[in-house]
Amino acid sequence: MPVNVPVDLRRCQVLGLVGTAFLAAGGETAGALPVRELLTPASPQAALGLVGAYFGVVLLIAAWLLLGRLVRAPDQRPGPRELMAVLVVWSLPLLLAPPLFSRDVYSYLAQGAMADAHMDVYAHGPALLGGPLAAEVAPMWRDTAAPYGPVFVGVASALAKASRGELPAGLLGMRLVALLGVALMAAVLPRLARHSGADPVAALWLGALNPLVLLHLVAGAHNDAVMLGLLGLGLAAALGRRPVLGAVLVMLAALVKVPAALGLAAIVVLRVRSGDRPARAVLTALVSAAATTVAATAVTGTSYGWIGALNTPVSSGNWALTSVLGSATETLLERLGSDLAPLAVPAWHALGVTAALALIGHIWLRLRPRPVYALGLSLAVVAALGPAIRPWYALWGLFLIAAAAPSASVRHRVAAVTGVLALATLPSGGPADAGQLVLAVSGGVLALVVLVQAHQTVRAPATGRTA
């Protein structure tokens, strides 16, 4: 007779905490460490760290999935406050861990130092700054202008001034900024869910306790956390019948990273639903956005060069669909001796943008009564069909899909995508060779063995009691 193994909130909390603790410990030798602390991937310490990090990631995913079982159980499901507490506990080991899964945070700090020194971050890369901080930036980005808006550059500049160029203080400060963004995301998710007719507890589980949030927004300290936090806050304000404030907050999010500007469409739809004329709703949103842009640019002292800097080069190791197809087409044309080979990648990127615009239009035509869900799907399309993709880009759409998912089946599909993407990047943020893949898989398999053994240990007494 099958026996249901008992699952409770404390077990999930402890399992996730052990997972993030192993991840943080493994990151001490296998993470995106400062240059002077980097170890060769073949060193015993780095190898052990990689095994430990992936061991922790798999435990965290397991804890999150078990927590999802509790969320679906009406008789013992936790409330929003309890889930918030779990998020805090799971995040604690990552607070002082080294950067994980990406070196982008070093670029943020270098660009902040440049802005603080009155260098134009939209005309020059961190190489102009020079010194130890620029040396931490990945080589391919040292001569690349910042693709971020004035709001984030202003935050990075203030952080550079406060940390006085000290790397540990700067890294901690940037992680605290990311944590503030995650806190905003968690705070607005239940409200967005209630307004969208979705389950607030399930929304919080899927959108805030998601492993991608912990791995990339907390451990990776990505500025996407600030973008999503402000975007969610703006949508909540608009749902609360404060559309002008909503438009201002959404534009502030877009002045961190541009994709958030799609949120203005949701603001317009919400205003029209409340009885405003479409032309007036559009004009109000555009005027609010323009005024916010002018004010933010003036306050931060940056230029409007960020608009032109959006054409940031795409890395050669990028796995975006249009980039992969473009590279394959370029290779084929080169072998055929065609002069059109250099146009292959730009052509596929243009096709991706065109397809994205068409899909977004279709989404809004069908889902206009559900603007939060439509916005989430639109941002997912932008991430999937854009010229570059990273695992944390999935959070652009996932955050709002979690807030407004119309059914459990949608949440299940999003959870499955999360599990795959959570395993897609090495803790160092660099490309994987065969040896590193073996180590990573070994860490994951070891975690699965431990989980199976723990399952059998817990199940045995339950079986005896049932007999």
Side-chain angles (χ1 to χ4, degrees):
M1 179 177 179
V3 176
N4 291 324
V5 176
V7 176
D8 59 42
L9 186 64
R10 182 168 179 78
R11 279 195 176 93
C12 296
Q13 193 174 56
V14 171
L15 182 60
L17 175 61
V18 172
T20 54
F22 267 96
L23 175 58
E28 292 294 335
T29 56
L33 303 171
V35 172
R36 65 178 181 275
E37 299 175 18
L38 280 175
L39 301 173
T40 60
S43 68
Q45 299 94 327
L48 183 61
L50 181 54
V51 171
Y54 258 76
F55 179 84
V57 169
V58 172
L59 290 187
L60 175 62
I61 294 171
W64 179 66
L65 293 175
L66 286 174
L67 186 59
R69 282 178 54 186
L70 284 180
V71 168
R72 296 191 301 272
D75 57 331
Q76 55 181 342
R77 70 188 331 232
R81 288 187 179 181
E82 292 171 303
L83 289 185
M84 292 280 199
V86 173
L87 178 60
V88 170
V89 169
W90 287 359
S91 300
L92 284 176
L94 302 175
L95 183 61
L96 297 178
L100 294 168
F101 304 105
S102 169
R103 298 190 69 83
D104 282 5
V105 67
Y106 297 111
S107 294
Y108 302 161
L109 292 173
Q111 290 157 0
M114 289 176 67
D116 186 48
H118 305 290
M119 299 178 186
D120 189 351
V121 297
Y122 300 129
H124 307 284
L128 182 66
L129 177 69
L133 195 52
E136 300 294 346
V137 179
M140 70 171 298
W141 303 124
R142 287 177 192 164
D143 293 302
T144 302
Y148 311 118
V151 167
F152 184 71
V153 171
V155 170
S157 176
L159 190 57
K161 185 184 291 294
S163 63
R164 299 180 180 180
E166 295 293 328
L167 189 58
L171 291 174
L172 177 60
M174 199 59 73
R175 182 162 278 143
L176 291 175
V177 168
L179 281 170
L180 176 60
V182 171
L184 287 176
M185 291 168 61
V188 300
L189 268 169
R191 186 173 180 182
L192 293 177
R194 282 190 289 269
H195 277 285
S196 302
D199 181 352
V201 174
L204 197 55
W205 168 76
L206 183 59
L209 284 94
N210 192 294
L212 292 177
V213 171
L214 288 152
L215 300 181
H216 297 295
L217 301 190
V218 178
H222 284 286
N223 57 9
D224 303 69
V226 181
M227 177 190 81
L228 293 174
L230 289 171
L231 176 60
L233 201 60
L235 293 173
L239 287 166
R241 300 187 181 278
R242 290 179 290 175
V244 174
L245 176 60
V248 168
L249 290 167
V250 166
M251 196 59 209
L252 288 175
L255 294 174
V256 175
K257 293 188 83 168
V258 169
L262 277 174
L264 293 173
I267 300 294
V268 170
V269 170
L270 288 169
R271 186 149 189 172
V272 171
R273 280 176 54 186
S274 66
D276 209 349
R277 294 191 303 274
R280 182 179 177 182
V282 171
L283 181 61
T284 302
L286 292 178
V287 169
S288 301
T292 303
T293 302
V294 171
T297 303
V299 169
T300 58
T302 62
S303 68
Y304 291 91
W306 64 276
I307 298 174
L310 294 176
N311 290 323
T312 300
V314 177
S315 66
S316 58
N318 172 53
W319 286 97
L321 176 62
T322 54
S323 293
V324 170
L325 292 173
S327 297
T329 304
E330 182 179 31
T331 300
L332 177 62
L333 291 174
E334 285 175 348
R335 290 179 178 176
L336 294 175
S338 173
D339 295 333
L340 297 177
L343 301 177
V345 173
W348 274 105
H349 285 171
L351 183 61
V353 171
T354 303
L357 290 174
L359 280 172
I360 289 170
H362 178 69
I363 287 168
W364 282 96
L365 284 173
R366 288 194 60 191
L367 297 174
R368 188 169 51 185
R370 307 195 64 174
V372 175
Y373 188 49
L375 178 58
L377 291 176
S378 299
L379 287 169
V381 167
V382 170
L385 294 179
I389 191 167
R390 300 289 184 270
W392 54 93
Y393 289 9
L395 289 167
W396 300 351
L398 188 153
F399 169 57
L400 296 177
I401 292 172
S407 65
S409 63
V410 171
R411 288 192 292 270
H412 294 162
R413 288 194 290 271
V414 172
V417 172
T418 293
V420 173
L421 291 178
L423 299 169
T425 312
L426 289 182
S428 66
D433 58 29
Q436 289 173 307
L437 285 175
V438 170
L439 291 170
V441 170
S442 298
V445 170
L446 180 61
L448 291 175
V449 170
V450 170
L451 288 169
V452 169
Q453 289 296 322
H455 172 83
Q456 292 176 345
T457 300
V458 173
R459 183 179 179 181
T463 305
R465 286 194 299 270
T466 302

